């Protein structure tokens, strides 16, 4: 049982600020188990009590997960003394529950999940799970066949073992080259270190997919949306 105040429950379901919720309650528009309830401090169980506004039941979703297009120039943390964090971009009734699942460097942009399920985040990031991440990479210099072969089979980046085999699609090769790289690990600065091992400097990095979910192309840097039911189910497969 997970009891919470009715006014808090209404606010967390997106029914407005505390004062807007108070108005709803005072107007007699809220029922609990079919009975009008005007007291915000009354406790409800979101999993079993039927709470309605204007006769329509509110659906309590325990799992909250946002797809966030992290822009460059912010840190992947919930708090930081001096820098802007990813959380500074989020306005959501349940923001306080959310944290980033994994991290992207300050100068990396792209897909980041913000969620409230610590166990799921832990599984998604566990090295043993080999969850796929796809990056769009722009580097200085030409990606030669030899580089591509090295990246695909595994490179030494100063860890105990070489990197695991990666998928590489070279999109453009020249003075500036572009590629898509799929990796199943998440070591610190992994993509930059992999290309550095081939003598190439990464000048732009964007994560475009993770765990089979692609960054929504309609999102602009700094924007987010909730995951769809289908996307949430796909993430939850990690529970197996
Ligand atoms: N690899 C990197 O080098 N940086 C990131 O932010 C993510 C993957």
């Amino acid at each position: 049982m997970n009891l919470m105040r009715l006014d808090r429950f209404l606010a967390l379901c997106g029914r407005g600020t505390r004062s807007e919720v108070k108005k709803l309650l005072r107007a007699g528009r809220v029922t609990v188990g079919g009975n009008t309830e005007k007291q915000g401090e009354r406790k409800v169980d979101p999993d079993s009590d039927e709470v309605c506004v204007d006769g329509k039941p509110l659906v309590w979703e325990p799992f909250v997960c946002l797809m966030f297009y992290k822009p460059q120039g912010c840190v992947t943390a919930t708090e930081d003394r001096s820098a802007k964090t990813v959380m500074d971009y989020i306005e959501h009734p349940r923001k306080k529950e959310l944290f980033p699942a994994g991290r992207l460097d300050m100068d990396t942009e792209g897909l980041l999940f913000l969620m409230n399920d610590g166990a799921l985040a832990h599984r998604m990031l566990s090295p043993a799970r080999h969850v796929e991440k796809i990056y769009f990479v722009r580097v200085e210099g030409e990606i030669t066949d030899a580089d591509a072969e090295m990246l695909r089979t595994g490179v030494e980046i100063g860890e105990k073992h070489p990197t695991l085999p990666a998928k590489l699609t070279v999109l453009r090769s020249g003075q500036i080259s572009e590629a898509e790289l799929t990796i199943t690990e998440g070591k610190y600065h992994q993509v930059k270190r992999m290309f550095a091992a081939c003598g190439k400097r990464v000048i732009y990095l964007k994560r475009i997919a993770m765990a089979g979910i692609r960054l929504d192309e309609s999102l602009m840097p700094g924007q987010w949306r909730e995951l769809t039911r289908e996307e949430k189910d796909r993430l939850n497969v990690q529970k197996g």
Side-chain angles (χ1 to χ4, degrees):
M1 212 161 26
N2 172 25
L3 292 182
M4 73 171 87
R5 285 175 59 123
L6 176 59
D7 49 8
R8 179 168 154 75
F9 175 72
L10 290 164
L12 293 182
C13 286
R15 302 315 298 231
T17 60
R18 277 279 169 111
S19 64
E20 285 163 348
V21 157
K22 213 174 199 175
K23 278 190 204 145
L24 276 183
L25 286 159
R26 272 209 225 111
R29 293 169 60 189
V30 180
T31 56
V32 179
N35 301 313
T36 302
E37 181 58 72
K38 294 191 173 183
Q39 304 301 321
E41 61 271 27
R42 175 203 165 147
K43 292 277 174 29
V44 289
D45 180 349
D47 296 321
S48 59
D49 282 322
E50 188 182 63
V51 180
C52 297
V53 175
D54 299 330
K56 289 196 197 85
L58 299 183
V59 181
W60 177 250
E61 174 65 53
F63 178 41
V64 183
C65 185
L66 312 184
M67 167 187 289
F68 175 52
Y69 186 162
K70 178 199 172 294
Q72 293 179 333
C74 62
V75 291
T76 309
T78 48
E79 283 174 57
D80 192 277
R81 281 218 200 105
S82 47
K84 198 164 178 161
T85 77
V86 290
M87 299 314 290
D88 291 337
Y89 292 86
I90 311 300
E91 264 315 314
H92 188 277
R94 293 173 69 182
K95 173 176 172 175
K96 284 204 183 112
E97 296 171 42
L98 303 176
F99 57 85
R103 68 181 296 284
L104 292 174
D105 298 337
M106 180 97 149
D107 60 355
T108 300
E109 60 176 44
L111 175 61
L112 189 69
F113 295 117
L114 302 173
M115 61 171 71
N116 66 346
D117 186 334
L120 174 63
H122 184 76
R123 280 189 299 272
M124 284 174 62
L125 302 171
S126 157
R129 297 266 172 169
H130 302 305
V131 169
E132 273 195 358
K133 290 145 221 139
I134 310 180
Y135 292 89
F136 172 84
V137 196
R138 189 172 294 137
V139 297
E140 276 174 349
E142 196 185 329
I143 302 174
T144 62
D145 290 347
D147 295 335
E149 183 57 24
M150 264 174 79
L151 291 163
R152 287 190 186 114
T153 51
V155 282
E156 293 291 347
I157 58 167
E159 297 280 336
K160 213 161 146 195
H161 301 289
T163 56
L164 291 174
K167 278 183 224 150
L168 179 81
T169 309
V170 178
L171 304 169
R172 167 162 96 95
S173 195
Q175 276 183 346
I176 299 290
S177 302
E178 292 176 349
E180 264 185 34
L181 181 74
T182 305
I183 56 173
T184 55
E185 304 169 282
K187 301 220 169 69
Y188 182 64
H189 290 338
Q190 173 138 357
V191 176
K192 291 174 186 159
R193 286 159 75 200
M194 286 174 76
F195 278 91
C198 304
K200 303 286 171 309
R201 194 169 77 88
V202 171
I203 52 173
Y204 172 76
L205 185 59
K206 175 181 179 183
R207 182 152 69 197
I208 53 178
M210 180 168 175
I213 299 176
R214 289 190 84 84
L215 179 64
D216 192 325
E217 283 178 11
S218 69
L219 292 177
M220 301 295 285
Q223 292 184 330
W224 58 270
R225 69 157 170 80
E226 301 236 9
L227 289 199
T228 62
R229 180 78 267 157
E230 198 211 340
E231 288 166 339
K232 281 183 173 176
D233 291 345
R234 200 170 303 164
L235 278 194
N236 275 317
V237 169
Q238 307 295 333
K239 282 189 174 153

